[in-house]
Amino acid sequence: MEFAVMLVEQLYGKEKADEIYEFLVMRSNHGNEYIITELNPVEWTPNDSPKILVPIANGSVETEAVTIVDILRRAGANVVVASVEDQLEIVACCKVKLEADVLLDEAAKLSYDLIILPGGFDSASTFAKSEKLVNMLKKQRDSQRPYGAICAAPALVLEPHGLLKGKKATTFPPVSDKLSDRSEIEKRVVIDGNVITGKGAGTSMEFALGIVEKFFGLKEAIESAKIMVFVHP
């Protein structure tokens, strides 16, 4: 992301680069240790290798979806990408085409150790209207299994369906007023019990590393961060 924003600065000037930097909620302390806010900690214990569902839809933020899937697969998680549309291929928010592994109907036949929603205004609307996906998330909550969302999805999907009730969360700043509890909205990544939320595209790596830490341990998360040059080696 730093590389891409530097390209923007070279092509369009520093003012435009700063605008993108702020919109993406990028962190200023590149290379320093990342910080995740955890409240009411509980163990996330998968039966075996964690099975994680990442739904996508037209308008999903590709930076978030791809980064999260990439980091979790690097760590050894079994990640299933499911399209909530009627076809496997979706067009993400910046017009990048992504192809899911399965349709949501097929994915819904299985259970998951974690369900994670990428952000995007259009995709959040699709997620919120998907009775099947919402029911899967509610089943996840009722079974005390982890779930979460990043960017606009906490405010536009989890909140209106009561999936943040009694939980602290963060979300994309322009929609933070939709959260009933706004006490942690300045935090980049928040884990409250079995629920994880992230603030925006620029927090995708911290968000994914937080999941790695919960399932595989802090040592594995730090090693992953070093390999990706996210923190100083």
Side-chain angles (χ1 to χ4, degrees):
M1 294 185 77
E2 299 141 68
F3 181 82
V5 171
M6 182 55 68
L7 290 179
V8 171
E9 182 173 336
Q10 296 303 311
L11 294 168
Y12 302 102
K14 191 173 186 309
E15 184 177 348
K16 186 64 176 179
D18 289 345
E19 179 187 326
I20 298 294
Y21 183 95
E22 183 176 353
F23 180 78
L24 293 177
V25 199
M26 291 176 64
R27 65 179 193 151
S28 57
N29 55 334
H30 300 299
N32 291 353
E33 193 170 320
Y34 59 92
I35 297 173
I36 292 170
T37 302
E38 184 166 16
L39 309 163
N40 306 308
V42 297
E43 286 191 17
W44 293 10
T45 309
N47 294 325
D48 190 10
S49 171
K51 189 162 192 170
I52 300 172
L53 178 67
V54 179
I56 58 174
N58 291 326
S60 286
V61 178
E62 48 271 87
T63 307
E64 295 161 6
V66 173
T67 301
I68 291 167
V69 171
D70 179 287
I71 293 174
L72 294 179
R73 285 181 174 168
R74 284 172 186 258
N78 178 5
V79 182
V80 177
V81 181
S83 171
V84 185
E85 305 292 347
D86 57 5
Q87 58 186 20
L88 292 177
E89 185 177 274
I90 66 103
V91 180
C93 73
C94 291
K95 308 307 177 186
V96 174
K97 293 180 180 179
L98 301 177
E99 185 170 334
D101 301 312
V102 295
L103 297 178
L104 185 66
D105 284 349
E106 184 68 23
K109 297 175 182 178
L110 303 174
S111 61
Y112 299 90
D113 297 299
L114 172 68
I115 299 176
I116 288 296
L117 307 180
F121 290 112
D122 291 343
S123 61
S125 176
T126 300
F127 292 161
K129 292 174 183 175
S130 171
E131 184 177 351
K132 187 177 294 291
L133 178 58
V134 171
N135 285 339
M136 290 176 73
L137 287 163
K138 288 182 176 179
K139 183 178 179 181
Q140 200 80 359
R141 175 198 60 194
D142 296 343
S143 302
Q144 297 186 335
R145 293 197 301 265
Y147 60 93
I150 189 170
C151 198
L156 302 184
V157 185
L158 301 185
E159 177 70 33
H161 286 289
L163 290 159
L164 290 179
K165 186 176 181 180
K167 298 292 184 181
K168 305 289 187 182
T170 188
T171 193
F172 192 44
V175 294
S176 61
D177 61 331
K178 297 186 181 298
L179 293 182
S180 55
D181 185 338
R182 303 178 67 243
S183 60
E184 301 293 331
I185 60 171
E186 295 305 319
K187 303 293 173 52
R188 295 177 61 77
V189 178
V190 176
I191 302 175
D192 188 347
N194 283 324
V195 178
I196 181 169
T197 52
K199 195 170 184 178
T203 71
S204 299
M205 293 188 75
E206 295 132 281
F207 183 86
L209 289 167
I211 296 170
V212 172
E213 183 176 334
K214 292 299 294 183
F215 280 131
F216 298 99
L218 178 60
K219 183 178 179 181
E220 178 66 30
I222 292 174
E223 284 304 308
S224 295
K226 288 179 179 178
I227 288 170
M228 294 181 291
V229 202
F230 189 62
V231 298
H232 295 301

